[in-house]
Amino acid sequence: MIHNTRRMPCVHSGTAISALALGLIYSTPALAQDEAGAVSSEPILVTGTRIKRDGFNEPTPATVIGSELMENLAQVNVSEVMRLIPQQSNFQSDAVSGITAGANVGASYANLRGLNPFNGTRTLTLVNSRRFIPTSDGGAIDLNVIPSAMIQRVETVTGGASAAYGSDAIAGVVNILLDTQFQGIKAQADYGQTFRGDGESYHFSLMGGTSFADGRGHVVVGGEYQKNEGIGDCAKVRNWCAESWDIFTNANNVVPGGGTSGYNIPGSPGYGLPHYVIGPDSKQANNDPRGVVRDRSPADPAARNKRFNDDGTGVVDYDPGRFLNSFQFGSRQGGDGASTYDDSDIQTPLERYVGYLYGEYELSDAITVQTELTYAERFASNTSYVVGPRSTFFVNNDNPYIPDDLRALLAGTDFSLGKDLDYELTSVNEAEAKVFRGLIGLSGELWGDWTWDAYYQYGSNKRHQERTNNRVNSAFQFALQAVDEGAYLTGTPNGNIVCRETLQANPNPISEGCLPMNLFGIGNADPAALAYVYRDVQEDFEYQQHVLSGAIQGTLFEGWGAGPISAAAGVDYRSEGGDVTHGDIPFYNDFAFTFGLDYSGDITVLEGFGELNVPVFTDFALGDLFELNGAVRYTRNHAVNNDTDEEKTSEAVSWKVSGIYDITEGVRVRASRSRDIRAAGFRELFLRNVPTEEGSTSGIVENPWLPGTPPIGDDPTPILNGGSFALKPEKADTTTAGVVFQPSFLPGLRLSADWYQIKISDAVTTLGGNRIVEFCHDYDLFCDRITFAAGSDMMDITFVDARQVNLAKLEVRGIDFEVAYSMELDEISQGWDGAIAARLLANHQYDFISQADPTVPELDYAGQSGPVGDGGDFNPSPPWIWNAFVTYDNGGFNVTGSWRRYSEGIYNIQRIGPEDEGYDPGIMNSISTNRVKGASYFGLAMSYKLPFGSGGDSQYVELFGSIDNIFDTKPPIAPGGGGGGGSNYPTNPVYFDTFGSKFRAGIRVRY
């Protein structure tokens, strides 16, 4: 029977399979292991249950990555471990920052099944089976603050864990287990970089552990440091990025010389092409370092599409390229100017420090006290594009900086200036986080095998974020409106150039200190004028958490011969809350980009749970084993909005029923059904924002009520984003069913396949302004969130409320596969040394359904590997993801090969390309291609141990090295969508490697 540990493949002395090979065999939470890698019979707590048990299997599918695999692959960060798990989506990592100025730059989060919403998390991250202080205002845990050098193993349960561990576990649990019983000293130093010489990474770690007081006490202490120098601007450092592939909108495009073009305008240059075109040479509309006169009113047509020379003393013709939007923003193909990806960092520079201490002491034979202390700091930054002039910021025709040849062409008209200011200024988004977690716990024995444990935990997170050189809108307009003082006041020029606003009878207070700004050409602007216009914004996030938890577990009675019936029960209390502030910044609401308004709130959670494990039969006529497990949890969540004094309380019951059935030796069937819950988190509830700028890239919607064929049109309007205190808790029904096959005729082989289904109702999500408008127009849904101008008959949208909403459902289905095999080579031929082990992890996701309302058609995002869904509120994946490892181990020598594969996917499930049925370039959702190629990445790692001293295997010096993406495979084309400052990358860095070939080498010492 699979649950009988004596039937596991044995480990031979002398030529034992390495601990890595052991780690490769088991895909579900493993048995406790001693330092030599042997299996211990001591019961352990495995993720997915609160009952300590001896078996290495549980009904819920799980994946275990051991520290041995991490070391053999030369991994130095928990985020790298998560990439080994096909169910993980790296939506937030050091490879996806691009040009965004998000608060979590450089952070890496666990995101199982790609289900994390943009403002929250549906994946619960635990450390040593306990909650950790959230490091983001969305409730997620930055994996950078976990000391990877001290990890014993990482257990992942995908789905169905709320009854065991509480809310936020809808997608599953990632449990990072640290080696709290370590003995001795272990140190490591290593260095890595790409084969192009960038992406330098320095990493150092040191840990030590010892027992004291005749073995009654044990202490482990460690520290870790890592510094990644980052990889610079995408189009400047990678040839595949310099090609600048993007998606262009072939509608409402300006034709030089007058007129519009599009897929729906017969006779225009865009007619015959689909609505959306994927192609190379992406540039931002009118985004030229020297400045350009935009092709729009009120400029005289003769002056349009003229570009300044470097000195700003004259103009030449400017090529605007193709697909230039009539509102003068977004991406366009070809023409003059810099690449859309000129400012997108490929890798975020990152520096982190982590310190950890664990201690335990037996106060008596029945009571033990434990403590854990963690302190971590993380520094990260990325460059952001400098916000240039809006298309509605006009240069006055009497501006004295205008060269004579342009002045003649303007013929007394004002004009709109397009300008790439990244050649004048640099905008940097910096984030510094400091995290502390302290825990004290007690555990002991009651009667029989009953035990108890309780702990108190305090956590604190402080994050400071700052974005430099951010445009102040009014100040920009005042500095742009330069005049000759004498000419303006008396009609006689005096050569004193000033800001026109300062000459008014009652000047705007923001104009105080205004200096005129010459943006014509390159480097002609007065630095003092730029400093007046471009200022820094900041955000401070402080969060505290208090946790009290207590539980008991043991055997209720010995059952009826099939095994003991065991139970666990407990109470969890959690109080957490924080504040987000932005300092005393003048004109904060007048900035082109801010981090939102101040907000504050508190959340209190009280939970009680119980779990029961019942062996029904063993060695019976119907099979070798049948065991049932059930758990139930009551949750009361109370939230207080400190800004509005609103309060709300929600109650929910989560539960789980699961079972394992060993039909015969080596064949196990397992299944589970659970109800999981998640209440909206801190950011989802309390985030407050200022409405976007009307007419800006984020302040415009497609108005389908405007006339046209088909009915499309752009409507400038403020859009309000942010959290909502009206959100309801999410509910999820998770079902899994699978089989585990471990044949006796082929020792060392193990296969498993598990089907899963996660159905989330009342899913918390963010709908963009356009989506709100579409739902209202097509389905009469969310219309109460749109304000129309009085008497406009829906022809003029004046406001859109796009704050967080509950959707009807989010539904995910797929199959997880795992194959593992290990064998000693002397079983093939006598005298052959060493052992081999192989492991394959795979996920096939065939449904990813989103539905806003029962009256709205479902959208199935399965297989989409282009842009994310609904602005990042979920992240679908390619249809197949594979991770495979093959290891050869002989004494102190180890070589491990790896293969990571992403299958071909769909670019956008809401588009129709030539590969799809019903394609027609004349329809609104047509696209030039709707496929994303697959990609394979191969790696190789080697290590060699040199023993020293008399410590045997516990004392050694180990040299190691690894190469990732050996063949330097470039990422497939999958742009994230133009507009709004452009796509961050011409590919999808959530899945595809953008770094290129890289290596890491170092040394470990164990004593």
Side-chain angles (χ1 to χ4, degrees), residues 292-315:
V292 61
V293 179
R294 288 187 171 106
D295 188 0
R296 63 157 302 170
S297 61
D300 188 285
R304 300 179 190 181
N305 288 325
K306 297 295 182 180
R307 174 182 64 74
F308 293 91
N309 60 23
D310 288 357
D311 296 332
T313 57
V315 293

Side-chain angles (χ1 to χ4, degrees), residues 196-434:
R196 291 174 175 81
D198 51 19
E200 299 94 330
S201 176
Y202 308 86
H203 173 257
F204 307 94
S205 65
L206 177 66
M207 66 178 295
T210 186
S211 298
F212 59 92
D214 297 326
R216 298 179 68 89
H218 192 84
V219 63
V220 177
V221 63
E224 185 171 40
Y225 172 78
Q226 182 179 4
K227 183 176 183 180
N228 295 338
E229 298 288 358
I231 302 176
D233 298 334
C234 186
K236 298 174 183 176
V237 298
R238 295 293 186 269
N239 289 334
W240 56 263
C241 192
E243 294 173 2
S244 302
W245 287 77
D246 204 346
I247 180 169
F248 308 102
T249 302
N250 180 26
N252 295 333
N253 298 146
V254 178
V255 178
T260 57
S261 171
Y263 76 101
N264 58 329
I265 303 178
S268 72
Y271 192 67
L273 297 175
H275 189 182
Y276 302 97
V277 177
I278 292 180
D281 203 15
S282 173
K283 297 174 181 179
Q284 288 302 288
N286 301 307
N287 200 30
D288 188 277
R290 290 152 294 202
V292 61
V293 179
R294 288 187 171 106
D295 188 0
R296 63 157 302 170
S297 61
D300 188 285
R304 300 179 190 181
N305 288 325
K306 297 295 182 180
R307 174 182 64 74
F308 293 91
N309 60 23
D310 288 357
D311 296 332
T313 57
V315 293
V316 298
D317 289 339
Y318 165 76
D319 182 357
R322 299 200 304 168
F323 310 120
L324 176 64
N325 184 278
S326 60
F327 273 75
Q328 307 286 318
F329 64 77
S331 60
R332 40 99 182 184
Q333 186 178 38
D336 296 334
S339 167
T340 289
Y341 311 107
D342 230 26
D343 304 300
S344 294
D345 288 349
I346 287 184
Q347 184 189 30
T348 302
L350 170 73
E351 188 173 17
R352 66 186 183 99
Y353 307 81
V354 185
Y356 176 81
L357 180 143
Y358 173 86
E360 65 179 28
Y361 185 77
E362 295 180 6
L363 298 175
S364 68
D365 291 340
I367 299 178
T368 300
V369 61
Q370 306 102 15
T371 187
E372 286 186 68
L373 298 174
T374 302
Y375 180 78
E377 294 187 19
R378 175 180 64 86
F379 307 87
S381 65
N382 69 305
T383 55
S384 301
Y385 69 95
V386 179
V387 184
R390 276 177 42 181
S391 61
T392 54
F393 290 174
F394 298 113
V395 179
N396 48 296
N397 63 78
D398 57 347
N399 187 306
Y401 298 124
I402 297 176
D404 292 340
D405 56 352
L406 177 60
R407 192 180 304 279
L409 294 171
L410 287 169
T413 60
D414 296 342
F415 70 95
S416 175
L417 174 71
K419 169 80 173 181
D420 181 357
L421 274 155
D422 290 293
Y423 288 72
E424 311 278 344
L425 293 171
T426 299
S427 180
V428 179
N429 177 44
E430 300 176 314
E432 176 185 1
K434 299 180 180 180

Side-chain angles (χ1 to χ4, degrees), residues 504-763:
Q504 305 304 309
N506 295 297
N508 189 307
I510 298 178
S511 69
E512 183 179 352
C514 179
L515 294 173
M517 182 171 56
N518 180 7
L519 294 183
F520 308 148
I522 297 178
N524 298 316
D526 183 345
L530 292 174
Y532 161 74
V533 171
Y534 286 90
R535 312 188 190 189
D536 300 345
V537 290
Q538 67 183 42
E539 178 175 276
D540 288 286
F541 168 56
E542 296 191 8
Y543 203 74
Q544 292 82 37
Q545 181 190 69
H546 300 269
V547 178
L548 279 170
S549 179
I552 59 172
Q553 53 273 320
T555 299
L556 289 176
F557 62 96
E558 293 303 318
W560 41 80
I565 295 175
S566 52
V571 176
D572 296 325
Y573 172 80
R574 186 170 79 254
S575 174
E576 56 190 37
D579 301 277
V580 175
T581 57
H582 300 89
D584 187 17
I585 299 177
F587 332 125
Y588 181 75
N589 294 343
D590 197 31
F591 277 77
F593 174 89
T594 67
F595 297 111
L597 300 175
D598 294 356
Y599 59 98
S600 174
D602 296 293
I603 300 172
T604 303
V605 182
L606 177 64
E607 301 181 296
F609 70 90
E611 183 177 358
L612 189 66
N613 194 75
V614 181
V616 180
F617 62 74
T618 184
D619 296 325
F620 193 58
L622 296 177
D624 288 353
L625 171 71
F626 182 45
E627 185 175 282
L628 292 175
N629 181 278
V632 64
R633 175 180 290 260
Y634 164 79
T635 300
R636 182 182 185 274
N637 185 295
H638 183 70
V640 179
N641 188 323
N642 294 332
D643 297 308
T644 63
D645 293 327
E646 294 176 282
E647 298 187 32
K648 63 182 299 184
T649 300
S650 62
E651 297 178 298
V653 174
S654 53
W655 50 266
K656 178 180 178 181
V657 177
S658 57
I660 52 177
Y661 175 34
D662 290 353
I663 301 174
T664 185
E665 181 176 348
V667 180
R668 162 168 289 176
V669 176
R670 58 190 181 190
S672 68
R673 172 77 173 183
S674 65
R675 162 60 61 88
D676 302 293
I677 58 98
R678 185 184 80 92
F682 181 78
R683 183 178 176 88
E684 293 167 314
L685 288 173
F686 308 124
L687 174 65
R688 296 195 305 142
N689 278 333
V690 176
T692 58
E693 297 177 72
E694 178 182 340
S696 68
T697 55
S698 55
I700 195 167
V701 296
E702 294 283 344
N703 186 343
W705 290 279
L706 290 176
T709 307
I712 58 174
D714 293 316
D715 204 350
T717 182
I719 301 173
L720 178 63
N721 300 287
S724 172
F725 210 63
L727 292 172
K728 297 182 290 186
E730 296 178 340
K731 299 180 288 294
D733 293 317
T734 301
T735 306
T736 67
V739 60
V740 182
F741 184 46
Q742 192 167 336
S744 58
F745 60 82
L746 190 57
L749 177 66
R750 186 177 188 276
L751 306 93
S752 67
D754 291 278
W755 174 83
Y756 63 87
Q757 173 182 270
I758 303 175
K759 299 175 68 174
I760 306 173
S761 58
D762 293 323

Side-chain angles (χ1 to χ4, degrees), residues 398 483-496 498 503:
D398 57 347
V483 294
D484 182 289
E485 180 188 37
Y488 185 80
L489 294 177
T490 67
T492 302
N494 63 9
N496 184 27
V498 298
L503 302 179

